[in-house]
Amino acid sequence: MLGRKIYEYALKNVPVAIKDTITDAGLSIEDIDKILIHQANAKMDYAMIERLHRLYDVKEYDHAISPMTIQDLGNTSVATIPTMYDLIIKGKMEGQSFKDNGNIVMTSVGAGMNINAIVYRFPKK
């Protein structure tokens, strides 16, 4: 694999796909409470979230918007997003929670360089 090319591809395309998904949902980055992103490489994930914010001309943002588990759990492949969701729901990720009616983006880039993103509105409790 050409690691640098994959990194460049992800940084160029994933933030745009996320922004398009947010726009298609009739929302803006200010409406998003959490971004749960597949985590194979923390450096790349942080860079993608930063580039997403730059697409909205946002230079400073709360990094808690995108919790990370890779430091503790490693690359859990397709289980990353549901694992993070479960940990947050159960109160097992310090400083992380979902807001009633909050908007969550779930996104990944993976095998075959497929990119996906959805916006999920967290239900009222």
Side-chain angles (χ1 to χ4, degrees), residues 31-81:
D31 301 312
I32 304 302
D33 300 305
K34 291 283 178 227
I35 301 171
L36 305 184
I37 190 169
H38 166 68
Q39 297 170 23
N41 179 317
K43 177 183 174 187
M44 183 168 65
D45 291 341
Y46 286 122
M48 286 187 288
I49 300 302
E50 181 179 330
R51 286 191 183 200
L52 170 64
H53 281 85
R54 274 198 257 149
L55 290 173
Y56 288 97
D57 293 322
V58 175
K59 293 178 181 24
E60 299 288 325
Y61 63 93
D62 184 357
H63 292 274
I65 193 172
S66 187
M68 295 285 169
T69 58
I70 192 167
Q71 298 89 332
D72 299 320
L73 303 178
N75 180 354
T76 55
S77 188
V78 298
T80 302
I81 293 170

Side-chain angles (χ1 to χ4, degrees), residues 31 33 98-103 120-125:
D31 301 312
D33 300 305
F98 295 123
K99 296 178 184 177
D100 285 352
N101 285 336
N103 297 301
Y120 173 74
R121 174 155 298 146
F122 195 78
K124 288 184 180 181
K125 292 181 182 177

